[in-house]
Each structure stands twice: as C-alpha cells, then as structure tokens.
Coordinates of all heavy atoms in Angstrom, one line a residue:
M1 N 9.5 -25.5 -7.9 CA 8.9 -24.3 -8.3 C 7.5 -24.2 -7.7 O 7.0 -23.1 -7.4 CB 8.7 -24.3 -9.8 CG 8.1 -23.0 -10.3 SD 7.9 -22.9 -12.1 CE 9.5 -22.3 -12.6
G2 N 6.9 -25.3 -7.3 CA 5.6 -25.2 -6.6 C 4.4 -25.5 -7.5 O 4.5 -25.1 -8.7
E3 N 3.4 -26.1 -7.0 CA 2.2 -26.3 -7.7 C 1.4 -25.0 -8.1 O 1.3 -24.1 -7.3 CB 1.2 -27.2 -6.9 CG -0.2 -27.4 -7.5 CD -1.1 -28.0 -6.5 OE1 -0.7 -28.3 -5.3 OE2 -2.2 -28.3 -6.9
L4 N 1.1 -24.8 -9.4 CA 0.3 -23.7 -9.8 C -1.1 -23.8 -9.3 O -1.9 -24.7 -9.7 CB 0.3 -23.6 -11.3 CG -0.6 -22.5 -11.9 CD1 0.0 -21.1 -11.6 CD2 -0.7 -22.7 -13.4
L5 N -1.5 -22.9 -8.4 CA -2.9 -22.9 -7.8 C -3.9 -22.1 -8.6 O -4.9 -22.4 -8.9 CB -2.8 -22.4 -6.3 CG -2.0 -23.3 -5.4 CD1 -2.1 -22.7 -4.0 CD2 -2.6 -24.7 -5.3
R6 N -3.3 -20.9 -9.0 CA -4.2 -19.9 -9.7 C -3.3 -18.9 -10.5 O -2.2 -18.6 -9.9 CB -5.1 -19.3 -8.7 CG -6.2 -18.4 -9.3 CD -7.2 -19.3 -10.0 NE -8.2 -18.3 -10.6 CZ -9.1 -18.8 -11.5 NH1 -9.2 -20.0 -11.8 NH2 -9.9 -17.9 -12.0
D7 N -3.8 -18.5 -11.6 CA -3.1 -17.4 -12.3 C -4.1 -16.4 -13.0 O -5.2 -16.9 -13.3 CB -2.0 -17.9 -13.3 CG -2.6 -18.6 -14.4 OD1 -3.4 -19.5 -14.1 OD2 -2.4 -18.2 -15.6
G8 N -3.7 -15.2 -13.1 CA -4.6 -14.2 -13.8 C -4.3 -12.8 -13.5 O -3.3 -12.5 -12.8
W9 N -5.0 -11.9 -14.1 CA -4.7 -10.5 -14.0 C -5.3 -9.8 -12.6 O -6.4 -10.2 -12.2 CB -5.4 -9.7 -15.1 CG -4.7 -10.0 -16.4 CD1 -5.2 -10.9 -17.4 CD2 -3.5 -9.5 -16.9 NE1 -4.3 -10.9 -18.5 CE2 -3.3 -10.1 -18.1 CE3 -2.6 -8.5 -16.4 CZ2 -2.2 -9.7 -19.0 CZ3 -1.5 -8.2 -17.2 CH2 -1.3 -8.8 -18.4
M10 N -4.5 -9.0 -12.0 CA -4.9 -8.2 -10.9 C -4.2 -6.9 -10.9 O -3.3 -6.7 -11.8 CB -4.4 -8.9 -9.6 CG -5.2 -10.2 -9.3 SD -5.0 -10.7 -7.5 CE -3.3 -11.0 -7.3
A11 N -4.6 -6.0 -10.1 CA -4.0 -4.6 -10.0 C -3.2 -4.6 -8.7 O -3.6 -5.1 -7.7 CB -5.0 -3.6 -10.0
K12 N -2.1 -4.0 -8.9 CA -1.2 -3.8 -7.6 C -0.8 -2.3 -7.5 O -0.8 -1.6 -8.5 CB 0.0 -4.7 -7.7 CG 1.1 -4.3 -8.7 CD 2.4 -5.0 -8.6 CE 3.6 -4.2 -8.2 NZ 3.8 -2.9 -8.1
S13 N -0.5 -1.9 -6.3 CA -0.1 -0.5 -6.1 C 1.3 -0.6 -5.6 O 1.7 -1.4 -4.9 CB -1.0 0.1 -5.0 OG -0.6 1.4 -4.7
S14 N 2.1 0.4 -6.1 CA 3.5 0.5 -5.7 C 3.7 1.7 -4.8 O 3.1 2.8 -5.1 CB 4.3 0.5 -7.0 OG 5.7 0.8 -6.6
A15 N 4.6 1.6 -3.8 CA 4.8 2.7 -2.9 C 5.4 3.9 -3.6 O 5.3 5.0 -3.4 CB 5.6 2.3 -1.7
G16 N 6.3 3.5 -4.7 CA 6.9 4.5 -5.4 C 7.9 5.4 -4.6 O 8.3 5.0 -3.5
K17 N 8.2 6.6 -5.2 CA 9.2 7.4 -4.5 C 8.6 8.2 -3.3 O 9.3 8.6 -2.4 CB 9.7 8.5 -5.5 CG 10.5 7.9 -6.6 CD 10.9 8.9 -7.6 CE 11.6 8.3 -8.8 NZ 11.9 9.3 -9.9
Q18 N 7.3 8.4 -3.3 CA 6.7 9.2 -2.3 C 6.2 8.4 -1.1 O 5.7 9.0 -0.1 CB 5.5 10.1 -2.8 CG 6.0 11.0 -3.9 CD 4.8 11.7 -4.5 OE1 3.7 11.6 -4.1 NE2 5.1 12.5 -5.5
G19 N 6.3 7.1 -1.1 CA 5.9 6.3 0.1 C 4.5 5.7 -0.1 O 3.7 6.2 -0.9
L20 N 4.2 4.7 0.7 CA 2.9 3.9 0.6 C 1.7 4.8 0.9 O 0.7 4.7 0.1 CB 3.0 2.8 1.5 CG 1.9 1.7 1.4 CD1 1.8 1.2 0.0 CD2 2.1 0.6 2.3
K21 N 1.7 5.6 1.9 CA 0.5 6.4 2.3 C 0.0 7.3 1.2 O -1.1 7.3 0.8 CB 0.7 7.2 3.6 CG 0.8 6.3 4.8 CD 1.0 7.1 6.0 CE 1.1 6.2 7.2 NZ 1.3 7.0 8.5
V22 N 0.9 8.0 0.6 CA 0.6 9.0 -0.5 C 0.2 8.1 -1.8 O -0.8 8.4 -2.4 CB 1.8 9.8 -0.9 CG1 1.5 10.6 -2.1 CG2 2.1 10.7 0.3
S23 N 0.9 7.0 -2.1 CA 0.6 6.3 -3.2 C -0.7 5.6 -3.3 O -1.4 5.6 -4.3 CB 1.7 5.1 -3.4 OG 1.5 4.3 -4.5
K24 N -1.2 5.2 -2.2 CA -2.5 4.5 -2.1 C -3.7 5.4 -2.5 O -4.7 5.1 -2.9 CB -2.9 4.0 -0.7 CG -2.1 2.7 -0.3 CD -2.7 2.1 0.9 CE -2.0 0.7 1.2 NZ -2.4 0.2 2.4
L25 N -3.4 6.7 -2.3 CA -4.5 7.7 -2.6 C -4.6 8.0 -4.1 O -5.6 8.6 -4.6 CB -4.3 9.0 -1.9 CG -4.2 8.8 -0.4 CD1 -3.8 10.2 0.3 CD2 -5.6 8.4 0.1
K26 N -3.6 7.7 -4.9 CA -3.5 8.1 -6.3 C -3.9 6.8 -7.1 O -3.4 5.8 -7.1 CB -2.1 8.4 -6.7 CG -1.6 9.7 -6.1 CD -0.2 10.1 -6.5 CE 0.2 11.4 -6.0 NZ 1.5 11.8 -6.5
R27 N -4.9 7.1 -8.0 CA -5.4 6.1 -8.9 C -4.3 5.6 -9.9 O -4.2 4.4 -10.3 CB -6.6 6.5 -9.7 CG -7.8 6.5 -9.0 CD -8.9 6.7 -10.0 NE -10.3 6.6 -9.4 CZ -11.0 5.4 -9.2 NH1 -10.3 4.3 -9.5 NH2 -12.1 5.5 -8.6
D28 N -3.5 6.6 -10.4 CA -2.5 6.3 -11.4 C -1.3 5.4 -10.8 O -0.5 4.9 -11.6 CB -1.9 7.5 -12.0 CG -1.3 8.4 -11.1 OD1 -1.3 8.2 -9.9 OD2 -0.6 9.4 -11.5
S29 N -1.3 5.2 -9.5 CA -0.2 4.3 -9.0 C -0.6 2.8 -9.1 O 0.3 1.9 -8.8 CB 0.0 4.7 -7.6 OG -1.1 4.3 -6.7
W30 N -1.8 2.5 -9.5 CA -2.2 1.1 -9.7 C -1.8 0.6 -11.0 O -2.0 1.3 -12.0 CB -3.7 1.0 -9.5 CG -4.2 1.1 -8.0 CD1 -4.4 2.3 -7.4 CD2 -4.2 0.1 -7.0 NE1 -4.7 2.1 -6.1 CE2 -4.6 0.8 -5.8 CE3 -4.0 -1.2 -7.0 CZ2 -4.7 0.1 -4.7 CZ3 -4.2 -1.9 -5.9 CH2 -4.6 -1.3 -4.7
Q31 N -1.2 -0.6 -11.1 CA -0.7 -1.2 -12.3 C -1.3 -2.6 -12.5 O -1.4 -3.3 -11.5 CB 0.8 -1.2 -12.3 CG 1.5 0.1 -12.1 CD 3.0 -0.1 -11.8 OE1 3.4 -1.1 -11.2 NE2 3.7 0.9 -12.1
R32 N -1.7 -2.9 -13.7 CA -2.2 -4.2 -14.0 C -1.0 -5.1 -14.2 O -0.2 -4.9 -15.0 CB -3.0 -4.0 -15.3 CG -3.8 -5.3 -15.6 CD -4.7 -5.1 -16.8 NE -5.6 -6.1 -17.0 CZ -5.6 -6.9 -18.2 NH1 -4.8 -6.5 -19.2 NH2 -6.4 -7.9 -18.3
R33 N -1.0 -6.2 -13.5 CA 0.0 -7.2 -13.6 C -0.6 -8.6 -13.6 O -1.6 -8.8 -13.2 CB 1.0 -7.1 -12.4 CG 1.7 -5.8 -12.3 CD 2.8 -5.8 -13.4 NE 3.6 -4.6 -13.4 CZ 3.5 -3.5 -14.2 NH1 2.6 -3.6 -15.1 NH2 4.3 -2.5 -14.1
Y34 N 0.3 -9.6 -14.1 CA -0.2 -11.0 -14.2 C 0.3 -11.7 -13.0 O 1.6 -11.8 -12.8 CB 0.3 -11.6 -15.6 CG -0.5 -12.8 -15.9 CD1 -1.7 -12.7 -16.4 CD2 0.0 -14.1 -15.5 CE1 -2.4 -13.9 -16.7 CE2 -0.7 -15.2 -15.9 CZ -2.0 -15.1 -16.4 OH -2.7 -16.3 -16.7
F35 N -0.5 -12.2 -12.1 CA -0.1 -12.8 -10.9 C -0.2 -14.3 -11.0 O -1.2 -14.8 -11.6 CB -1.0 -12.3 -9.8 CG -0.6 -11.0 -9.2 CD1 -1.0 -9.8 -9.9 CD2 0.2 -10.8 -8.1 CE1 -0.6 -8.6 -9.4 CE2 0.5 -9.6 -7.6 CZ 0.1 -8.5 -8.3
V36 N 0.7 -15.1 -10.3 CA 0.6 -16.4 -10.2 C 0.7 -16.8 -8.7 O 1.7 -16.5 -8.0 CB 1.8 -17.1 -11.0 CG1 1.9 -18.6 -10.9 CG2 1.7 -16.6 -12.4
L37 N -0.2 -17.7 -8.2 CA -0.2 -18.2 -6.9 C 0.3 -19.6 -6.9 O -0.3 -20.4 -7.6 CB -1.6 -18.1 -6.2 CG -1.8 -18.6 -4.8 CD1 -0.9 -17.8 -3.9 CD2 -3.3 -18.5 -4.4
R38 N 1.4 -19.9 -6.2 CA 2.0 -21.2 -6.2 C 1.9 -21.8 -4.8 O 2.2 -21.1 -3.9 CB 3.4 -21.2 -6.7 CG 3.5 -20.9 -8.2 CD 4.9 -21.2 -8.7 NE 5.0 -21.0 -10.2 CZ 4.6 -21.8 -11.1 NH1 4.0 -23.0 -10.8 NH2 4.7 -21.5 -12.4
G39 N 1.7 -23.1 -4.7 CA 1.6 -23.8 -3.4 C 2.8 -24.7 -3.3 O 3.8 -24.4 -3.9
G40 N 2.7 -25.6 -2.4 CA 3.9 -26.6 -2.2 C 4.6 -26.2 -1.0 O 4.2 -25.4 0.0
A41 N 5.9 -26.7 -0.9 CA 6.8 -26.5 0.2 C 7.2 -25.0 0.5 O 7.4 -24.6 1.5 CB 8.0 -27.4 0.1
Q42 N 7.2 -24.3 -0.6 CA 7.6 -22.9 -0.6 C 6.6 -22.0 -1.3 O 6.8 -21.6 -2.5 CB 9.0 -22.6 -1.2 CG 10.1 -23.3 -0.5 CD 11.4 -23.1 -1.1 OE1 11.5 -22.5 -2.2 NE2 12.5 -23.4 -0.4
P43 N 5.3 -21.8 -0.7 CA 4.3 -21.1 -1.4 C 4.6 -19.6 -1.6 O 5.4 -19.1 -0.9 CB 3.1 -21.2 -0.4 CG 3.7 -21.5 0.9 CD 5.0 -22.2 0.6
K44 N 4.2 -19.1 -2.8 CA 4.5 -17.7 -3.1 C 3.5 -17.1 -4.1 O 2.9 -17.9 -4.8 CB 5.9 -17.6 -3.6 CG 6.3 -18.3 -4.8 CD 7.8 -18.2 -5.1 CE 8.3 -19.3 -6.1 NZ 9.7 -19.2 -6.3
L45 N 3.5 -15.8 -4.1 CA 2.7 -15.0 -5.0 C 3.6 -14.3 -5.9 O 4.4 -13.5 -5.3 CB 1.7 -14.1 -4.3 CG 0.8 -13.3 -5.1 CD1 -0.2 -14.1 -6.0 CD2 0.0 -12.3 -4.3
V46 N 3.7 -14.6 -7.2 CA 4.6 -14.0 -8.1 C 3.9 -13.2 -9.1 O 2.8 -13.5 -9.4 CB 5.4 -15.2 -8.9 CG1 6.4 -14.6 -9.8 CG2 6.1 -16.1 -7.8
Y47 N 4.5 -12.1 -9.5 CA 3.8 -11.3 -10.6 C 4.7 -11.0 -11.7 O 6.0 -10.8 -11.5 CB 3.1 -10.0 -10.0 CG 4.0 -9.0 -9.4 CD1 4.4 -8.0 -10.2 CD2 4.4 -9.0 -8.1 CE1 5.3 -6.9 -9.7 CE2 5.2 -8.0 -7.6 CZ 5.6 -7.0 -8.3 OH 6.5 -6.0 -7.8
Y48 N 4.1 -10.8 -12.9 CA 4.9 -10.5 -14.1 C 4.3 -9.3 -14.8 O 3.1 -9.0 -14.5 CB 4.8 -11.7 -15.1 CG 5.3 -13.0 -14.5 CD1 4.6 -13.8 -13.7 CD2 6.6 -13.4 -15.0 CE1 5.2 -15.0 -13.2 CE2 7.1 -14.6 -14.5 CZ 6.4 -15.4 -13.6 OH 7.0 -16.6 -13.2
K49 N 5.1 -8.7 -15.6 CA 4.5 -7.5 -16.3 C 3.3 -7.9 -17.2 O 2.4 -7.0 -17.2 CB 5.6 -6.8 -17.2 CG 5.2 -5.6 -17.9 CD 6.3 -5.0 -18.6 CE 5.8 -3.7 -19.3 NZ 6.9 -3.1 -20.0
D50 N 3.3 -9.1 -17.8 CA 2.2 -9.5 -18.5 C 2.2 -11.0 -18.6 O 3.1 -11.7 -18.2 CB 2.2 -8.9 -20.0 CG 3.5 -9.0 -20.7 OD1 4.2 -10.2 -20.5 OD2 4.0 -8.2 -21.5
E51 N 1.1 -11.5 -19.2 CA 0.9 -13.0 -19.3 C 2.0 -13.6 -20.2 O 2.5 -14.7 -19.9 CB -0.5 -13.3 -19.9 CG -0.8 -14.8 -19.8 CD -2.2 -15.1 -20.3 OE1 -2.9 -14.2 -20.7 OE2 -2.5 -16.3 -20.3
E52 N 2.5 -12.8 -21.2 CA 3.4 -13.4 -22.1 C 4.8 -13.7 -21.4 O 5.4 -14.7 -21.7 CB 3.7 -12.4 -23.3 CG 4.6 -12.9 -24.3 CD 4.9 -11.9 -25.4 OE1 4.0 -11.1 -25.7 OE2 6.0 -12.0 -26.0
A53 N 5.1 -12.8 -20.5 CA 6.4 -13.0 -19.7 C 6.3 -14.3 -18.9 O 7.2 -15.0 -18.7 CB 6.6 -11.8 -18.8
F54 N 5.1 -14.6 -18.3 CA 4.8 -15.7 -17.5 C 4.9 -17.0 -18.4 O 5.6 -17.9 -18.1 CB 3.6 -15.7 -16.8 CG 3.0 -17.0 -16.3 CD1 3.7 -17.7 -15.3 CD2 1.8 -17.5 -16.7 CE1 3.2 -18.9 -14.8 CE2 1.4 -18.7 -16.2 CZ 2.1 -19.4 -15.2
R55 N 4.2 -17.0 -19.5 CA 4.1 -18.1 -20.4 C 5.4 -18.5 -21.0 O 5.7 -19.6 -21.3 CB 3.0 -17.9 -21.5 CG 1.7 -17.7 -21.0 CD 0.9 -18.9 -20.6 NE -0.4 -18.6 -20.0 CZ -1.0 -19.1 -19.0 NH1 -0.3 -20.1 -18.4 NH2 -2.1 -18.7 -18.6
S56 N 6.3 -17.5 -21.3 CA 7.6 -17.7 -21.9 C 8.7 -18.0 -20.9 O 9.8 -18.0 -21.1 CB 7.9 -16.6 -22.7 OG 8.2 -15.4 -21.9
M57 N 8.2 -18.2 -19.6 CA 9.1 -18.6 -18.5 C 10.1 -17.4 -18.2 O 11.2 -17.7 -17.8 CB 9.9 -19.9 -18.7 CG 9.0 -21.1 -19.0 SD 8.1 -21.6 -17.6 CE 9.3 -22.6 -16.8
G58 N 9.7 -16.2 -18.4 CA 10.5 -15.0 -18.1 C 10.7 -14.8 -16.7 O 10.1 -15.5 -15.9
S59 N 11.6 -13.9 -16.3 CA 11.8 -13.6 -14.9 C 10.6 -12.8 -14.4 O 10.1 -11.9 -15.0 CB 13.1 -12.7 -14.8 OG 14.2 -13.5 -15.1
P60 N 10.2 -13.1 -13.1 CA 9.1 -12.3 -12.6 C 9.5 -11.0 -12.2 O 10.7 -10.7 -11.9 CB 8.7 -13.1 -11.3 CG 9.9 -13.9 -11.0 CD 10.6 -14.2 -12.2
S61 N 8.6 -10.0 -12.1 CA 8.9 -8.6 -11.8 C 9.0 -8.5 -10.2 O 9.6 -7.6 -9.7 CB 7.7 -7.7 -12.2 OG 7.7 -7.6 -13.6
G62 N 8.3 -9.4 -9.5 CA 8.4 -9.5 -8.1 C 7.7 -10.7 -7.5 O 7.1 -11.4 -8.2
Q63 N 7.9 -10.9 -6.2 CA 7.3 -12.1 -5.5 C 7.2 -11.8 -4.1 O 7.9 -11.0 -3.5 CB 8.1 -13.4 -5.8 CG 9.5 -13.4 -5.3 CD 10.2 -14.7 -5.6 OE1 9.7 -15.6 -6.3 NE2 11.4 -14.9 -5.1
L64 N 6.3 -12.6 -3.5 CA 6.0 -12.5 -2.1 C 6.0 -13.9 -1.6 O 5.2 -14.8 -2.0 CB 4.5 -11.9 -1.9 CG 4.3 -11.2 -0.6 CD1 4.6 -9.8 -0.7 CD2 2.8 -11.4 -0.3
M65 N 7.0 -14.2 -0.7 CA 7.1 -15.6 -0.1 C 6.0 -15.7 0.9 O 5.8 -14.9 1.8 CB 8.5 -15.8 0.5 CG 9.6 -15.6 -0.5 SD 9.5 -16.6 -2.0 CE 9.7 -18.3 -1.3
L66 N 5.4 -16.8 0.9 CA 4.2 -17.0 1.8 C 4.4 -18.2 2.8 O 3.5 -18.9 3.2 CB 2.9 -17.4 0.9 CG 2.6 -16.3 -0.1 CD1 1.4 -16.8 -1.0 CD2 2.2 -15.0 0.6
R67 N 5.7 -18.5 3.1 CA 6.0 -19.6 4.0 C 5.3 -19.3 5.4 O 5.3 -18.2 5.9 CB 7.5 -19.6 4.3 CG 7.8 -20.9 5.1 CD 9.3 -20.9 5.4 NE 10.1 -20.7 4.1 CZ 10.8 -21.7 3.5 NH1 10.7 -23.0 4.0 NH2 11.4 -21.5 2.4
G68 N 4.6 -20.3 5.9 CA 3.8 -20.2 7.1 C 2.5 -19.5 6.9 O 1.7 -19.4 7.9
A69 N 2.1 -19.1 5.7 CA 0.8 -18.5 5.5 C -0.1 -19.5 4.8 O 0.4 -20.6 4.4 CB 1.0 -17.4 4.5
E70 N -1.4 -19.2 4.8 CA -2.4 -20.1 4.3 C -3.2 -19.4 3.2 O -3.6 -18.2 3.4 CB -3.3 -20.6 5.4 CG -4.4 -21.5 4.9 CD -5.3 -22.0 6.0 OE1 -5.1 -21.6 7.2 OE2 -6.3 -22.7 5.7
A71 N -3.2 -20.0 2.0 CA -3.9 -19.3 0.9 C -5.3 -20.1 0.8 O -5.3 -21.3 0.7 CB -3.1 -19.4 -0.4
K72 N -6.3 -19.3 0.7 CA -7.7 -19.9 0.5 C -8.3 -19.3 -0.8 O -8.3 -18.1 -0.9 CB -8.6 -19.6 1.7 CG -8.2 -20.2 3.0 CD -9.1 -19.9 4.1 CE -8.6 -20.6 5.4 NZ -9.5 -20.2 6.6
M73 N -8.9 -20.1 -1.6 CA -9.7 -19.7 -2.8 C -11.1 -19.8 -2.6 O -11.6 -20.8 -1.9 CB -9.1 -20.5 -4.0 CG -7.8 -20.1 -4.4 SD -7.3 -20.9 -6.0 CE -7.5 -22.6 -5.7
N74 N -11.9 -18.9 -3.2 CA -13.3 -19.0 -3.0 C -13.9 -18.5 -4.4 O -13.5 -17.5 -4.9 CB -13.8 -18.0 -1.9 CG -15.3 -18.1 -1.7 OD1 -15.9 -19.1 -1.8 ND2 -15.8 -16.9 -1.3
T75 N -14.9 -19.3 -4.9 CA -15.5 -18.9 -6.1 C -16.8 -18.1 -5.7 O -17.6 -18.6 -5.0 CB -15.9 -20.1 -7.0 OG1 -14.7 -20.9 -7.3 CG2 -16.6 -19.7 -8.3
V76 N -16.9 -16.9 -6.3 CA -18.0 -16.0 -6.0 C -18.9 -15.8 -7.2 O -18.4 -15.5 -8.3 CB -17.5 -14.7 -5.5 CG1 -18.6 -13.8 -5.2 CG2 -16.6 -14.9 -4.3
A77 N -20.2 -16.0 -7.1 CA -21.1 -15.8 -8.3 C -21.1 -14.3 -8.6 O -21.2 -13.4 -7.7 CB -22.5 -16.2 -7.9
N78 N -20.9 -14.0 -9.9 CA -20.9 -12.6 -10.3 C -21.4 -12.6 -11.8 O -20.7 -12.9 -12.7 CB -19.4 -12.1 -10.3 CG -19.4 -10.6 -10.7 OD1 -20.4 -10.1 -11.2 ND2 -18.2 -10.0 -10.5
P79 N -22.7 -12.2 -11.9 CA -23.4 -12.2 -13.2 C -22.6 -11.2 -14.2 O -22.7 -11.5 -15.5 CB -24.7 -11.7 -13.0 CG -24.9 -11.8 -11.6 CD -23.6 -11.8 -10.9
A80 N -21.8 -10.3 -13.8 CA -21.1 -9.3 -14.7 C -20.0 -10.0 -15.4 O -19.5 -9.6 -16.4 CB -20.6 -8.2 -13.8
M81 N -19.5 -11.2 -14.8 CA -18.4 -11.9 -15.5 C -18.9 -12.8 -16.6 O -20.1 -13.3 -16.4 CB -17.7 -12.8 -14.5 CG -17.0 -12.0 -13.3 SD -15.7 -11.0 -13.9 CE -14.4 -12.3 -14.3
G82 N -18.3 -13.0 -17.6 CA -18.7 -13.8 -18.7 C -19.1 -15.2 -18.4 O -20.1 -15.7 -18.9
D83 N -18.4 -15.8 -17.5 CA -18.7 -17.2 -17.2 C -19.5 -17.3 -15.9 O -19.8 -18.4 -15.4 CB -17.3 -18.0 -16.9 CG -16.5 -17.5 -15.7 OD1 -16.9 -16.4 -15.2 OD2 -15.5 -18.0 -15.5
G84 N -20.1 -16.2 -15.4 CA -20.9 -16.2 -14.2 C -20.3 -16.2 -12.9 O -21.0 -16.2 -11.9
A85 N -19.0 -16.3 -12.8 CA -18.3 -16.4 -11.5 C -16.9 -15.7 -11.6 O -16.4 -15.6 -12.7 CB -18.3 -17.8 -11.0
E86 N -16.5 -15.3 -10.5 CA -15.0 -14.9 -10.4 C -14.4 -15.6 -9.2 O -15.1 -16.0 -8.2 CB -15.0 -13.4 -10.2 CG -15.5 -12.8 -9.1 CD -15.5 -11.3 -9.1 OE1 -15.3 -10.7 -10.1 OE2 -15.7 -10.7 -8.0
V87 N -13.1 -15.7 -9.2 CA -12.4 -16.3 -8.1 C -11.7 -15.2 -7.3 O -11.0 -14.3 -7.9 CB -11.4 -17.3 -8.6 CG1 -10.6 -17.9 -7.6 CG2 -12.1 -18.5 -9.4
E88 N -11.8 -15.4 -6.0 CA -11.0 -14.4 -5.2 C -10.2 -15.3 -4.2 O -10.5 -16.5 -4.0 CB -12.0 -13.5 -4.4 CG -12.9 -14.3 -3.4 CD -13.8 -13.4 -2.7 OE1 -13.9 -12.2 -3.1 OE2 -14.4 -13.7 -1.6
F89 N -9.1 -14.8 -3.7 CA -8.4 -15.5 -2.7 C -7.8 -14.6 -1.7 O -7.7 -13.4 -1.8 CB -7.3 -16.3 -3.4 CG -6.1 -15.5 -3.9 CD1 -5.0 -15.2 -3.1 CD2 -6.1 -15.1 -5.2 CE1 -4.0 -14.4 -3.6 CE2 -5.1 -14.3 -5.7 CZ -4.1 -14.0 -4.9
T90 N -7.7 -15.2 -0.5 CA -7.0 -14.5 0.6 C -5.8 -15.2 1.1 O -5.7 -16.4 1.0 CB -8.0 -14.3 1.8 OG1 -8.4 -15.7 2.2 CG2 -9.2 -13.5 1.4
V91 N -4.9 -14.4 1.5 CA -3.6 -15.1 2.1 C -3.5 -14.5 3.5 O -3.6 -13.3 3.8 CB -2.3 -14.6 1.3 CG1 -1.1 -15.2 1.9 CG2 -2.5 -15.0 -0.2
Q92 N -3.4 -15.5 4.5 CA -3.3 -15.2 5.9 C -2.0 -15.7 6.4 O -1.7 -16.8 6.3 CB -4.5 -15.8 6.6 CG -4.5 -15.4 8.1 CD -5.8 -15.9 8.8 OE1 -6.7 -16.3 8.2 NE2 -5.8 -15.8 10.1
A93 N -1.3 -14.7 7.0 CA 0.0 -15.1 7.6 C -0.2 -15.8 9.0 O -1.2 -15.6 9.6 CB 0.8 -13.9 7.9
A94 N 0.7 -16.6 9.3 CA 0.6 -17.3 10.6 C 0.8 -16.4 11.7 O 1.5 -15.4 11.6 CB 1.7 -18.4 10.6
T95 N 0.0 -16.6 12.8 CA 0.1 -15.7 14.0 C 1.0 -16.3 15.0 O 1.3 -17.4 15.0 CB -1.3 -15.5 14.5 OG1 -1.8 -16.8 14.9 CG2 -2.2 -14.8 13.6

C-alpha cells in the first residue's frame, strides 16, 4: 500500500461534462476532498469523499499514480493557521 507521507483536506477541480478549460473558471466546480499522499515503490496521491471513508478503509474516489515522480513537502509559516504553520507539497514528474 505504501508509506503514508501526508493526509488532509484539499480542494480539487473536476473537468465535468463541459471540459477542463470551462470548469477551471467556475468556482462551483471545486470540491473538498480528503487526500492521502503515499510513498514507497508505487507512490500515489489518493483522494476520498471524506476523512471517514479513508479511516474506515473505504474505496478511494480516485488516485494519481506517481511512479517516476518526486514528492517534496515543505512546512510554511502561516500565522492564520491554528498551529502557526501549514504544509504544502509539490509533485514533479520525471523528465
């Protein structure tokens, strides 16, 4: 299954029926989902409808395989966050 690197809430946009270009312009196309970043031999970014689905070992709503990609995490100071920091990550595909 791979090592759990990070999990938490993020927003995702779906291309929907009208396609990606139109969808990106609409605020209502963004959906809050619970994401899980896993490392190991088969790294992937998996998302669930909510945290309960993840915790109960439910089926993910979708996933992105990251083979050959590198995931980097960075802690950024943010006074607006309750704990004073937030974590961001980037995924870079192999060239």
Side-chain angles (χ1 to χ4, degrees):
M1 187 179 271
E3 172 191 4
L4 175 67
L5 298 177
R6 188 73 184 166
D7 64 308
W9 290 99
M10 289 195 301
K12 72 171 243 353
S13 178
S14 175
K17 296 177 183 176
Q18 298 179 1
L20 189 57
K21 289 182 182 178
V22 173
S23 178
K24 281 188 174 182
L25 300 175
K26 294 184 177 181
R27 278 192 180 277
D28 60 350
S29 67
W30 289 87
Q31 301 169 332
R32 189 171 186 242
R33 294 290 183 254
Y34 199 80
F35 281 79
V36 177
L37 180 62
R38 293 196 176 276
Q42 296 180 350
K44 57 185 161 183
L45 181 63
V46 181
Y47 66 92
Y48 298 83
K49 184 175 181 179
D50 53 35
E51 185 175 2
E52 183 180 335
F54 165 63
R55 301 282 177 218
S56 66
M57 304 290 281
S59 296
S61 298
Q63 64 182 2
L64 205 89
M65 300 305 290
L66 303 175
R67 187 182 309 255
E70 181 179 355
K72 295 180 182 179
M73 292 189 299
N74 184 32
T75 302
V76 179
N78 184 348
M81 298 293 288
D83 62 359
E86 62 184 19
V87 174
E88 63 182 17
F89 69 91
T90 57
V91 177
Q92 183 173 348
T95 56

